[in-house]
Amino acid sequence: DVQVRESGGGSVQVGESLRLSCVASGYTYSDFCMGYFRQTPGKEREAVAAIDSDGKINYADDVKGRFTISRGNVKNTLYLEMTSLRPEDSAMYYCAATWACGGGWSAHNVYVYWGQGSQVTVSA
């Protein structure tokens, strides 16, 4: 079975940085499409960034230039480097994986496997 485990997150001040890490274990034949979503209470889960199985990277408009998603050297590991953090970036961040995303990278129902979530809190 595939399991998605996350680490990182925490509480920072405005303008500071954080890194989230994620591993999708249990499948090593090829690269998953992997991405991060975030959610605040009462709101829909929204896509933040994803890297597809072919290496294509996509970002949500409001994180472009501030967040960087990348793969690790170990298959199906993922990092999200978040810089210049803002209070509106505060949310529960979820790592997700599936076999290929294509144009549906920002749709949460495209992803099959999900992590437990990591809280990110940015204080002014």
Side-chain angles (χ1 to χ4, degrees):
D1 284 352
V2 174
Q3 291 188 330
V4 178
R5 300 193 310 277
E6 304 173 16
S7 59
S11 297
V12 296
Q13 301 291 315
V14 168
E16 294 185 341
S17 301
L18 276 175
R19 188 172 87 155
L20 302 180
S21 302
C22 175
V23 176
S25 60
Y27 185 81
T28 58
Y29 300 106
S30 62
D31 287 326
F32 277 132
C33 170
M34 297 182 72
Y36 277 98
F37 286 71
R38 63 188 181 188
Q39 189 171 25
T40 54
K43 291 191 176 180
E44 297 263 333
R45 191 169 294 191
E46 62 176 13
V48 175
I51 182 166
D52 210 338
S53 52
D54 63 0
K56 184 176 181 181
I57 292 175
N58 288 284
Y59 293 100
D61 286 343
D62 60 349
V63 306
K64 284 180 182 176
R66 300 189 298 121
F67 290 12
T68 302
I69 193 168
S70 62
R71 290 192 186 275
N73 291 328
V74 176
K75 191 171 287 292
N76 293 323
T77 59
L78 187 72
Y79 301 106
L80 184 68
E81 192 76 39
M82 303 183 291
T83 65
S84 301
L85 282 162
R86 306 166 179 168
E88 55 265 38
D89 294 317
S90 298
M92 185 71 78
Y93 282 70
Y94 295 91
C95 179
T98 191
W99 286 274
C101 294
W105 73 272
S106 61
H108 63 81
N109 59 359
V110 165
Y111 297 81
V112 176
Y113 306 105
W114 290 84
Q116 77 284 358
S118 294
Q119 180 66 41
V120 172
T121 303
V122 185
S123 301

